[in-house]
Amino acid sequence: MPATDPDSGPPDPGLTDEFSTVLVGITRLVRRRLRQELTVPRLRGAQVELLRLVAANPGLRVSAAAKELCLAGNSVSTLVNQLVAEGLLLREVDPADRRAALLRVTPAAAERLDSWSAKRKALVGELLAELPAGDREALAAALPAMRRLAAGLQGWDGQADTGTGGADEGAGGDDDTGDDEDEEGMTNDGP
């Protein structure tokens, strides 16, 4: 991650620990609060990530999805099969290469992702409204630094983030570990 001020020295270890703990905690608590309203089975984090990726890139090939998600092709194929069976993903034969499949989200998946996002925005909006104006201003002032932090993370493995993850968007899914008690993971939450 590139440093904007090489003379600033290393960050305070207490800051790094508290920042990551608070960030993950907020994400977990928002996700849990929203999950209380779910009327459909939760999706796993990798399923949500794949749905978001395909929603952002309709007609994406399975191989391209695997590369973007840094997963093995057979793992993505398994996710595709699960989501097709749940009626959330469409798999079409690529007319340019009949051996390849093109992926598209179903209207049900798009509605589910949109609904989760709207509910998340409403919840966070309510929580922010309860904060004093000075706290809201401090959070707004921190956003550029947080975006730079996210950009630095995106560049670490050479993979570009398409915005398919998002600790703040989702479909009720778990993180990439599948462990509900340690949920964050690749900014994946969802319905």
Side-chain angles (χ1 to χ4, degrees), residues 56 60 83 86 112 141 153 158 168 173:
L60 188 70
L83 293 168
E86 292 184 39
R112 191 168 172 171
L153 286 169
D168 59 339

Side-chain angles (χ1 to χ4, degrees), residues 26 30 33 121-132 136:
I26 290 170
V30 166
R33 184 100 160 260
K121 287 175 186 174
L123 173 61
V124 172
E126 289 173 26
L127 296 171
L128 288 173
E130 294 175 8
L131 293 176
R136 289 193 305 268

Side-chain angles (χ1 to χ4, degrees), residues 19 25 40 77-78 90 104 138 166:
F19 178 79
V40 294
S77 292
T78 298
L90 299 172
R104 299 185 194 290

Side-chain angles (χ1 to χ4, degrees), residues 24-155:
V24 169
I26 290 170
T27 301
R28 180 181 304 116
L29 292 169
V30 166
R31 183 180 302 117
R32 285 185 181 161
R33 184 100 160 260
L34 293 175
R35 283 180 179 164
Q36 294 173 358
E37 300 175 20
L38 280 179
T39 58
V40 294
R42 251 185 8 212
L43 298 174
R44 291 186 3 251
Q47 291 172 318
V48 174
E49 234 185 319
L50 178 58
L51 285 175
R52 284 200 190 112
L53 179 63
V54 173
N57 302 281
L60 188 70
R61 285 183 171 197
V62 173
S63 59
K67 182 177 179 182
E68 180 69 25
L69 297 173
C70 299
L71 295 173
N74 62 343
S75 296
V76 173
S77 292
T78 298
L79 293 172
V80 167
N81 290 337
Q82 293 166 349
L83 293 168
V84 166
E86 292 184 39
L88 298 173
L89 201 60
L90 299 172
R91 178 179 34 215
E92 305 166 349
V93 174
D94 184 348
D97 180 356
R98 300 200 55 80
R99 298 169 296 167
L102 302 178
L103 304 174
R104 299 185 194 290
V105 295
T106 64
E111 191 281 326
R112 191 168 172 171
L113 290 169
D114 290 346
S115 173
W116 181 272
S117 181
K119 289 176 182 176
R120 176 193 39 83
K121 287 175 186 174
L123 173 61
V124 172
E126 289 173 26
L127 296 171
L128 288 173
E130 294 175 8
L131 293 176
D135 286 355
R136 289 193 305 268
E137 291 167 8
L139 289 170
L143 288 174
M146 293 178 73
R147 285 188 194 105
R148 287 189 296 276
L149 180 64
L153 286 169
Q154 291 167 358

